[in-house]
Amino acid sequence: MKPFLKVIQLHKNEAALIKRAAKNNREAQHILFELHAPKMLSVCRYYIKDLQHAEEAMLNGFLKVFSNIKSYKGEGSFEGWIRRIMVRESISFLRRKKQIEFATVDVDIKHDFKNTIKTDIEVAEIQQLIDRLPEGYKMVFVMYAIEGYKHNEIADMLKISEGTSKSQLFKARKLLQQQINHINKRSYGTS
């Protein structure tokens, strides 16, 4: 008797899955969810410290994905389209929880900020440092440095000025650099 092996097709035809999902095919929606959920959870986690809340935002985001999948025109990557929904859902989640606050202190952002952080810190530790940033700093930092949004896009999404976006990024980088320098001094016994 031959053993049965379940062969999982690694590369599904995503365009066909999207069409089926748009017709409310639950199997296609489930496959798309399984393909994209791990990455989208990490996107939500960038913004939201608590994993359970990040999962909640991701699930709400997927509800929006499947409710609006007919509006996806096939321009650009499907993953990018989902990612934008997840970013917006994470921002909405934080707004509902009233966890977003933007400091309005003026900073000389024309001052040349050098991003010359040299460290052996693990990724998980860097995520913890990012999590410790004030929410406004964190959100702008993640959107700019990780997601690749431009300041005008960040300003539009967060309903703040471009100057505030730049200021929040400057302060976030400065605070992160100070925290990393402190960890490095402790690690090398020079504190």
Side-chain angles (χ1 to χ4, degrees):
M1 180 182 339
K2 281 186 166 181
F4 289 96
L5 293 176
K6 185 176 181 179
V7 178
I8 299 172
Q9 190 176 359
L10 293 177
H11 299 286
K12 304 269 184 195
N13 183 344
E14 193 170 66
L17 283 171
I18 293 167
K19 285 180 185 176
R20 287 178 37 217
K23 294 178 182 174
N24 278 337
N25 180 299
R26 299 291 181 218
E27 180 186 8
Q29 290 175 345
H30 179 74
I31 293 168
L32 287 170
F33 176 83
E34 291 291 321
L35 285 171
H36 296 284
K39 210 176 255 188
M40 295 308 123
L41 179 58
S42 68
V43 169
C44 294
R45 176 61 189 82
Y46 288 145
Y47 296 91
I48 303 168
K49 289 179 194 178
D50 183 276
L51 182 59
Q52 290 177 326
H53 288 140
E55 286 175 344
E56 180 183 335
M58 180 198 67
L59 292 172
N60 288 335
F62 270 107
L63 181 63
K64 289 182 179 175
V65 165
F66 294 127
S67 297
N68 297 298
I69 198 165
K70 290 179 182 174
S71 69
Y72 175 67
K73 304 292 184 217
E75 298 165 0
S77 77
F78 184 63
E79 182 180 309
W81 183 77
I82 295 174
R83 187 179 202 102
R84 283 189 297 281
I85 292 171
M86 294 299 159
V87 169
R88 290 179 189 274
E89 188 58 35
S90 296
I91 293 167
S92 294
F93 177 87
L94 291 170
R95 276 199 179 115
R96 282 191 305 273
K97 299 289 182 188
K98 304 209 184 309
Q99 293 180 345
I100 303 175
E101 190 175 306
F102 297 99
T104 56
V105 177
D106 290 330
V107 175
D108 181 16
I109 57 176
K110 292 178 183 168
H111 176 70
D112 187 27
F113 180 82
K114 293 192 173 38
N115 196 8
T116 57
I117 300 172
K118 292 182 178 143
T119 186
D120 293 326
I121 298 175
E122 297 292 322
V123 172
E125 201 170 357
I126 291 173
Q127 180 64 55
Q128 289 174 349
L129 294 177
I130 293 171
D131 284 343
R132 285 189 217 136
L133 290 173
E135 286 302 324
Y137 294 11
K138 176 183 172 183
M139 190 165 297
V140 172
F141 178 81
V142 169
M143 292 178 81
Y144 185 87
I146 297 173
E147 297 291 333
Y149 287 102
K150 294 180 175 81
H151 286 293
N152 63 336
E153 295 169 314
I154 295 168
D156 184 51
M157 290 172 75
L158 297 179
K159 297 176 179 44
I160 58 176
S161 71
E162 278 188 56
T164 299
S165 176
K166 290 176 183 178
S167 172
Q168 298 292 299
L169 177 64
F170 175 83
K171 291 184 238 178
R173 283 180 168 168
K174 186 174 181 180
L175 189 55
L176 281 173
Q177 187 160 12
Q178 288 170 352
Q179 291 173 342
I180 290 170
N181 289 342
H182 179 72
I183 289 170
N184 284 339
K185 284 179 184 177
R186 259 192 344 213
S187 297
Y188 299 121
T190 57
S191 60

